[in-house]
Amino acid sequence: MHALSGKRALIGALSLALAVLTMAPNTASAGPEPGAKRPTTGKYRLFAGSNGATTVNRLYYGLSNRGEVGVDSTGSSTIGGGFWPKGTGNQYMFNSGLQVAGIIQGTKPGNPWAGDTTGGMFFDASGLRQHGTAITDIFNASNPVDQANWPQGAFVPQGDFSEEIYDPLLRGRISASQSDNWFLVWEGDPGLNSARPHPLGIVAEYRTLGWNFPSGNEDILYLVITFYNITTTNPAAYAAYRPGIRETLIEYAGRFQELNNSQFNITLPAEGYTIDPFYAAFSADPDVTNSAGVNYSSVNLPFAMGYAYHADFPLAAGWTFSPTIFGAPFFAGSGFVGMKYLKSPTGEGEIQLYSNTTNGGAFPDPNSAVRLYKYLSGTITPADGVSCNQGDPLESRICFVTQGNPADVRLLQSSTGLALEAGAAGSIVIAYVHAAPVAVPGYVGGTRVGPGDPRRLSDVTALSQGANLVDSLAGFAGFEDANQDGLVQQDEMTVVPGSLYGKSLTAQTIFEAKFLLPFAPEAPDFFLIPGNGQVTVLWRPSASETTGDPYFEVASQATTVPSGGGTPVTNLLYDPNYRRFDTEGYRIYRGRADTPTSLRLVAQYDYSGTTFRDYRGQVVSAAIGSRCAPELGLTTTCNNFFSPVVPGEAATLFRSYDLNGALVQVRAGDRTLLATGDVINLVTDTAVTGRDTGFPALSNTGVPFVYVDQEVRNGLTYFYAVTA
């Protein structure tokens, strides 16, 4: 067992073996019951669906394999698709997705499209100019049917350039997170050609990731989009991509040329073309609360994050405000949704241009491919009929921010431009971050807050005097130009933990750790010996007992060096309670069928003499009392038991507990202060033992590595599993 902020699922991969008939183990994976699936046909469509949703943590985000995220999963054009917490009507997102634009290089007549400016909108806020067409349906790693039919190209990238986004231990798995969603889409069909001269030639690979840990990450959804230039029909141009993706790109390259040559009566060059400059943008229509017309949207450029909020931070009618989310130091107002760039094709956290667009109004959504290109590149002039209000966009990197009355605002964030050669690819990574508003002294919810001047956040002199009010509500708590370079970096801002800015730094840290988060202990090798009225189960120690959990290297350091080098900064994933070696015991299951749902626990063993070191007062104990919560500054009943919580400093003081009985823990963020001065635990965990978990409490039995099951009958078939 280890710290709750990195809690493991102790029932993970199950190794099933057929007793009586064979001694050779037979492996399978456990998972929830499959949901209803609509009948589908076409490429990869035997089991997955064209619409879906990611629900792995506290978010509900609908998905469409046309290239949309946070869209209504039933296909409605009037209902939003992003809700937080899931199970509530708290709406934050109506729709979002990828937009691409660029200039086609080459010479005529060798390339009939040479010099053309065009693009593709996988997401279009107006709903009139959407160019995405599904290649595959959506595969959900939580669904056992999808797992069993997982396409070769859908595994976590291994063997091509995009593998660098993920830790080596994640590559080649079905899922990099607790539950990935995956699909492929393209904009190359000339049958969808509204508001553009012709397609650009891009296939996009979407992958969503989500976790319930560590603290704050349960309110974040990660989106990785990899885009491919499929304009060449030369198979060698795709040779560097992993199997499954490679064959699909070759197929759709041929389809791209065939469809467009026929549609436009032309002959595109077989070698394809370079798109230079090429811009990829994340665009969104966030509707915070159902009052879409009363929203503002702004940007924090040092954080590479646009965000949206209801102008008045109301206690929205019909909303649910859980005290685990909206308790102190926050207040029960509608809060924020932020979209943070973690990676652009040319580097980490770079935005070429941020801008609001409006539903009509002063800065309308792009109505053509040329207008889209000008928005994404920042080459907007008054001759285009719209004007930026944040200075020269090529210098400020911000074009238009709604400042007057709130509106139904949309936003776009383009990545820096690149030359995308035929057969080449690039990736962007976005984090959708959700947070309650910080209780700022003097501010009362229900009072209107405008965006202010977002350029202030990039100005060392101005920011030293304070930020905009909305930035304080988003978690800004101070700034110091630590390296004296005259530039504002995100790690130079002090932020409120759990706020929009605080969680966005958590997302940054997790991305820089290449999405490596806690691993479940590996299931052990085991063997079965059938006998007269009995089956003997023997197993070896789990490999995790000697290799440990690789996430410990991330969680054990109080500071970390930024990916680009430089002075160490506070490690937001630091958890002194986290253990490298935490295989506490083993469970044996038996069933009459080879399905995980048929298995029942028949024995549990745990090591004796093991202890748990609590550095943060997170073990609920009568000896500690009810006035101990170091992360809240409350140490009345545990003064000098634990080290003070100082960002960037390692904890040294701890209290040790025997791992016996039910070890009850509480995570930072899951408890709050009462007016009496006591702390109330809003959510607790029992390390998946005892107390209504369905599992016996720990009892220091020792681990014999052999179990004789005498509750079986001769002539019947039984299946077994051993888990660590």
Side-chain angles (χ1 to χ4, degrees), residues 42 115 129 132 235 244 260 287 304 326-327 353 359 402 409 450 483 495 556 568 628 634 662 678 684:
R129 295 168 286 274
N260 285 280
D287 289 346
F326 295 92
L353 186 84
N359 190 356
T402 298
V409 291
N483 59 11
V495 300
S556 62
C628 179
L634 181 65
D678 291 332
T684 59

Side-chain angles (χ1 to χ4, degrees), residues 540-565:
R540 295 190 177 108
S542 165
S544 299
E545 292 207 38
T546 54
T547 62
D549 186 344
Y551 180 68
F552 177 80
E553 299 300 331
V554 176
S556 62
Q557 305 299 318
T559 61
T560 185
V561 177
S563 58

Side-chain angles (χ1 to χ4, degrees), residues 252 496 504 626 630 651:
Y252 274 80
V496 176
S504 72
S626 63

Side-chain angles (χ1 to χ4, degrees), residues 23-208:
M23 293 175 57
N26 193 9
T27 61
S29 294
E33 289 290 338
K37 292 288 181 182
R38 67 181 67 187
T40 54
T41 59
K43 188 177 182 67
Y44 299 139
R45 297 184 185 180
L46 293 176
F47 300 97
S50 59
N51 293 315
T54 175
T55 61
V56 65
N57 52 18
R58 289 200 296 207
L59 297 174
Y60 179 97
Y61 263 62
L63 304 171
S64 163
N65 64 350
R66 296 175 302 173
E68 299 166 309
V69 178
V71 65
D72 177 61
S73 57
T74 67
S76 171
S77 62
T78 59
I79 300 174
F83 298 87
W84 173 69
K86 69 182 178 187
T88 72
N90 303 9
Q91 178 179 298
Y92 286 82
M93 184 62 64
F94 188 81
N95 202 349
S96 67
L98 177 68
Q99 297 179 341
V100 294
I103 299 176
I104 295 173
Q105 299 300 307
T107 58
K108 297 178 180 179
N111 181 357
W113 288 353
D116 288 0
T117 298
T118 190
M121 293 189 234
F122 296 89
F123 157 75
D124 171 36
S126 73
L128 302 175
R129 295 168 286 274
Q130 208 242 2
H131 304 125
T133 305
I135 294 177
T136 74
D137 279 339
I138 299 168
F139 286 80
N140 185 334
S142 293
N143 190 309
V145 179
D146 284 0
Q147 285 185 18
N149 296 276
W150 203 253
Q152 185 180 28
F155 288 89
V156 177
Q158 183 176 36
D160 59 25
F161 84 102
S162 59
E163 72 174 11
E164 292 302 320
I165 295 173
Y166 308 93
D167 186 88
L169 291 171
L170 301 175
R171 299 169 192 168
R173 293 170 174 256
I174 283 180
S175 187
S177 70
Q178 284 184 280
S179 181
D180 291 7
N181 287 271
W182 179 91
F183 61 93
L184 287 173
V185 58
W186 76 322
E187 54 74 57
D189 185 350
L192 293 175
N193 221 32
S194 175
R196 62 178 182 171
H198 51 73
L200 190 58
I202 298 296
V203 163
E205 177 187 3
Y206 278 59
R207 181 183 297 273
T208 68

Side-chain angles (χ1 to χ4, degrees), residues 543-584:
S544 299
E545 292 207 38
T546 54
T547 62
D549 186 344
Y551 180 68
F552 177 80
E553 299 300 331
V554 176
S556 62
Q557 305 299 318
T559 61
T560 185
V561 177
S563 58
T567 304
V569 298
T570 299
N571 179 13
L572 298 180
L573 301 182
Y574 173 59
D575 184 353
N577 282 8
Y578 204 88
R579 297 174 57 168
R580 182 192 298 272
F581 301 102
D582 62 352
T583 303
E584 174 61 15

